[in-house]
Amino acid sequence: MPLIQKEGIYKMKIEILVFTEDMIPEAGKLLAQRHKRNRLKQPLLPARFEDDLVTIKAVETLWQKKNKNGYAAFRDGKMLAYLMGSSVIQPWGRCGYVYFAGYALAEGEKTSIIQDLYASLGDDWIRLGIFSHGLYVAAADSDVIEALFNVGFGKERVDALLDLRSIDIPVVAAPKGITIRQAGKGDNDHLGSLSPIIMNALANAPCWHTTIPEDWEELREGW
């Protein structure tokens, strides 16, 4: 489905193509370039994803997911961007996600290309009855976040990084009557009893993240 990007005058056509396996290496290189730019703003991000071999493997891992789909944008045979997602069935319905390595936009290209890619990706999801769509986007890509907000996305959560070596952690006296020690044998039931705390909190506003009873025992065992 060829598209034309308008920037005052018509430019060379941008082609939106279904993502295929042979596109993985080029997508991986785009991802490495994106990560390098991200780390200029957020140096705590892991440096290893600046390596093409690592990012190609990351894209390949996404491609190996069972229910995946994606699209890539090209101009004159050169990849400008890609968007790859996968779908899962959650207790609240069918959901489509684009994970952290599932997108990249070449430097200097307009974020409207990401919007066009989502128009195709999202349409696939809707046709499959997937109405809950989520994208994990680097905070450093503020222009991409703005572009997604402009097509109707909102913000569900923000993850943060903190270098513990760079801060002064105060020594706090233990509360009276409470002993802090490493967990060991015999603590399983005590730890398991904590499992509903986060689950119950997430079930309330504004998240309404339900957890079905069939999963409760597995969560308890995990704790």
Side-chain angles (χ1 to χ4, degrees), residues 54-116:
V54 175
T55 50
I56 289 172
K57 183 63 177 177
V59 176
E60 184 180 23
T61 299
L62 292 178
W63 179 254
Q64 290 172 349
K65 286 182 175 292
K66 182 179 179 180
N67 299 314
K68 84 281 189 176
N69 63 325
Y71 289 86
F74 292 85
R75 181 191 295 121
D76 195 25
K78 181 180 179 181
M79 183 182 291
L80 309 177
Y82 75 91
L83 191 67
M84 187 191 307
S86 58
S87 59
V88 295
I89 298 178
Q90 301 283 16
W92 54 91
R94 296 174 179 171
C95 303
Y97 295 106
V98 173
Y99 294 102
F100 202 56
Y103 80 96
L105 176 68
E107 187 173 13
E109 296 294 340
K110 294 222 176 256
T111 54
S112 58
I113 299 176
I114 293 290
Q115 294 173 328
D116 290 336

Side-chain angles (χ1 to χ4, degrees), residues 7 14 30 39 48 54 69 81 98 132-133 140 150 163 173 179 193 196 201:
E7 299 174 348
I14 294 177
L30 269 186
R39 290 193 71 241
R48 69 181 184 277
V54 175
N69 63 325
V98 173
S132 176
H133 303 176
N150 287 338
D163 187 350
T179 300
S193 69

Side-chain angles (χ1 to χ4, degrees), residues 179-190:
T179 300
I180 299 176
R181 60 168 174 79
Q182 187 172 2
K185 292 183 178 180
D187 290 332
N188 290 7
D189 289 340
H190 295 297

Side-chain angles (χ1 to χ4, degrees), residues 8-20:
I9 59 174
Y10 284 100
K11 295 185 66 175
M12 188 176 295
K13 288 183 179 180
I14 294 177
E15 288 188 297
I16 304 295
L17 303 176
V18 174
F19 196 97
T20 55

